[in-house]
Amino acid sequence: MAHASYAVIRDNKMIVIDPSRNPQPYYDFATLHEADLIGVIETHPHADFVSSHLEINQTTGATIYCSRLVGAAYAHQTFDDGDIIHLADVKLTAINTPGHSPDSISVLLTDEQGRDCSIFTGDTLFVGDVGRPDLREHAGNIIAKKEELAHQLYHSLHDKLMLLPHHVIVYPAHGPGSLCGKTISPDLCSTIGRELKENYALKIHHENEFVKMLLADQPFVPHYFGFDVDLNQKGAPIFQTSVDTVDRSLQELQRGKVIVDTRPADQFSTGHIKGAINLQNGDKFETWLGSIIEPFEKFYLLAAKEDELTDVIEKAAKIGYEQNIKAALIALGGDESSPILNVDDLKTSPQKYTVIDVRNSNEITAGKIFKDALTIPLPELRNRLHEIPTGKPIVVHCAAGYRSAAAASMIAGRISSTPVYDLGEAISGFMTQNNH
């Protein structure tokens, strides 16, 4: 999820900005610096991860600060334009910066010399990019159309953030890989001056042109995003308690329920339960879990070993999905195995196969790898399985193999009249071939 949170410490007092679901790292950091955790600032109700703001408040008594526009269901101190938190001889000032969401704030840090030194921008301004405006049309205390938010973002940037001194350091809530932006830079921080020079979005000075650009080519929106906005507005349950309540004692699975098998593709292919989805544990596991499984949809979670099972449960909790887990079990194989594709035959006779391209829409727009492929992005696949013809063997591909493993398992769970092959990492050979 490429998420960044921050701690500001002064005179043995600490304030955390945009904490993730597990609060333990913040407690450890406070202990390391012999500081009391006295405050938590939420720049907005996050869509892509669950925050621990309420748990930190309940555990330490730290005050939660957020915009009044959030409509927070928990005890908090409103923090809006001009409001100041004094932390010994430094201060944190709220700046309302709607656009990514209607209730977004940025937080300006002024040092002991009275010099504005840093700005925590949440999802308003990234390094090399700006926040997407299309996540609050159906979630949160305030519902807002993406066009309206795009206009608001233009003014938050041009009338507020871009007017700050050029030396002010920009600390955003996300780095590259986040679905909250389009082309976020690998650099984790920047300055206002650098962004004015290099950020493509800040170079567009005409408001309508900015809005048009911002609304175009945004990444897909996972199912869980609206769910997390609402959960963050209310406050999530205690992380460890919630994780510990997941049933890990069940031995038999109930038929007809969704099964998420997180083992590597080679282990899954040799033996698995029919209908299981092979969503491998990895860096993007929780994002894809929340893109395939609907909020409140119950599922079984499988892994090869106990420590791996703990890991995927905790990852599910990052997006609030631990409550969806019907039970978590060690995967003991199964009666189903996956067929092995003759890659050379596909290269010489692709017309013999129905090829399914499950990459994202922007990847497909950039160019197909198989010209006759049926294109169904992975997040849409479960609802579009009926579109897949069954007259030929089916080959599934993505860009590297992770998504195709999940997609092939979904299709094979639905279609048994013809073989379903996962092209996997062998796709690299076809991409090279097409480039030549």
Side-chain angles (χ1 to χ4, degrees), residues 32 36 44 96 109 114 121 157 189 208 225 227 271 329 367 381 397:
L32 178 67
D36 294 324
H44 62 292
N96 288 94
L109 175 61
T121 54
L157 295 168
C189 65
N208 288 337
F225 269 25
F227 170 75
L329 303 88
L381 184 61
H397 84 84

Side-chain angles (χ1 to χ4, degrees), residues 84-397:
I84 297 173
I85 302 170
H86 292 277
L87 194 62
D89 54 354
V90 304
K91 63 181 183 179
L92 296 160
T93 304
I95 303 174
N96 288 94
T97 50
H100 170 69
S101 69
D103 40 28
S104 287
I105 59 171
S106 296
V107 183
L108 181 64
L109 175 61
T110 305
D111 67 17
E112 67 275 16
Q113 303 297 328
R115 181 174 179 262
D116 295 336
C117 60
S118 306
I119 183 82
F120 302 95
T121 54
D123 290 15
T124 298
L125 175 63
F126 299 125
V127 180
D129 203 356
V130 295
R132 65 191 297 177
D134 57 338
L135 302 180
R136 289 295 292 273
E137 296 194 307
H138 307 288
N141 182 54
I142 300 175
I143 306 298
K145 293 291 184 184
K146 58 187 177 183
E147 294 82 5
E148 175 189 349
L149 285 175
H151 282 284
Q152 290 182 10
L153 184 59
Y154 175 87
H155 289 286
S156 292
L157 295 168
H158 284 264
D159 301 343
K160 295 185 177 181
L161 297 187
M162 292 168 68
L163 301 181
L164 292 170
H166 286 201
H167 68 263
V168 169
I169 301 172
V170 174
Y171 291 117
H174 291 292
S178 168
L179 289 173
C180 291
K182 291 194 280 190
T183 56
I184 302 175
S185 167
D187 294 336
L188 301 183
C189 65
S190 182
T191 63
I192 292 294
R194 176 185 165 187
E195 292 310 298
L196 287 169
K197 289 180 181 179
E198 300 179 8
N199 192 314
Y200 74 98
L202 302 190
K203 294 179 181 179
I204 302 175
H205 297 288
H206 191 280
E207 184 173 345
N208 288 337
E209 184 183 346
F210 175 88
V211 169
K212 182 179 179 181
M213 174 281 301
L214 195 59
L215 297 179
D217 303 320
Q218 287 290 355
F220 71 94
V221 180
H223 298 311
Y224 78 92
F225 269 25
F227 170 75
D228 276 15
V229 169
D230 292 334
L231 183 55
N232 282 321
Q233 185 200 0
K234 295 182 295 186
I238 301 283
F239 169 75
Q240 196 60 54
T241 301
S242 197
V243 164
D244 289 345
T245 59
V246 173
D247 183 1
R248 297 174 66 156
S249 63
L250 193 68
Q251 298 300 314
E252 283 193 39
L253 305 182
Q254 185 179 344
R255 289 192 176 186
K257 295 296 182 182
V258 176
I259 301 169
V260 177
D261 188 330
T262 65
R263 292 177 297 158
D266 57 348
Q267 294 182 26
F268 179 88
S269 64
T270 59
H272 58 267
I273 299 169
K274 183 174 178 57
I277 299 172
N278 184 208
L279 191 61
Q280 302 167 78
N281 186 14
D283 290 343
K284 295 288 184 181
F285 170 77
E286 51 269 59
T287 297
W288 288 113
L289 178 68
S291 301
I292 293 169
I293 306 298
E294 299 274 359
F296 308 110
E297 183 178 14
K298 297 293 185 181
F299 62 93
Y300 291 109
L301 189 61
L302 278 58
K305 297 183 291 186
E306 288 291 346
D307 60 335
E308 294 171 0
L309 198 58
T310 298
D311 186 42
V312 291
I313 292 171
E314 291 182 353
K315 286 182 175 179
K318 289 183 180 181
I319 63 169
Y321 267 35
E322 80 282 3
Q323 299 173 80
N324 298 31
I325 301 171
K326 189 172 179 65
L329 303 88
I330 300 300
L332 300 175
D335 297 332
E336 294 291 314
S337 60
S338 304
I340 299 173
L341 175 66
N342 183 331
V343 176
D344 290 335
D345 187 54
L346 176 64
K347 284 183 177 179
T348 57
S349 306
Q351 72 280 359
K352 290 167 52 177
Y353 300 86
T354 296
V355 179
I356 311 295
D357 183 345
V358 297
R359 295 176 300 156
N360 298 337
S361 297
N362 61 328
E363 295 172 278
I364 293 168
T365 300
K368 284 187 174 183
I369 299 170
F370 295 87
K371 65 182 180 67
D372 295 323
L374 175 61
T375 59
I376 308 178
L378 179 59
E380 303 173 18
L381 184 61
R382 286 181 73 199
N383 294 323
R384 296 179 59 186
L385 290 170
H386 62 279
E387 298 178 22
I388 300 174
T390 58
K392 302 177 184 178
I394 296 167
V395 175
V396 187
H397 84 84

Side-chain angles (χ1 to χ4, degrees), residues 5 7 14 16 20-32 37 52 56 239:
S5 54
M14 174 171 138
V16 172
S20 61
R21 179 70 192 275
N22 183 358
Q24 192 58 48
Y26 311 107
Y27 302 152
D28 294 343
F29 198 71
T31 300
L32 178 67
L37 208 173
S52 57
I56 292 173
F239 169 75

